[in-house]
Amino acid sequence: MPLHADMTELLAAAGILGVDVDSAVADEHVRRSAYRRVVLVIASSPSRELKPW
């Protein structure tokens, strides 16, 4: 399940909680919403970079 692991890591690195990763993997609309939240977090950060753990 690479997409599940990638989605989990991406959301964690962005500090986003409360996203059902199983639903995001199964449903493209939920996944798009999760990606959009990640983009918004990055866009609002001063460095505009996603910093891994």
Side-chain angles (χ1 to χ4, degrees):
M1 282 216 255
L3 180 56
H4 191 282
D6 291 344
M7 177 72 68
T8 301
E9 184 178 340
L10 181 66
L11 292 169
I16 298 173
L17 305 174
V19 173
D20 183 355
V21 177
D22 291 328
S23 293
V25 169
D27 184 336
E28 67 185 77
H29 296 99
V30 177
R31 188 167 51 251
R32 181 187 178 279
S33 176
Y35 287 144
R36 187 171 187 273
R37 289 178 65 185
V38 170
V39 169
L40 291 173
V41 166
I42 295 168
S44 67
S45 74
S47 68
R48 302 225 195 270
E49 292 181 18
L50 186 63
K51 299 200 179 236
W53 299 104

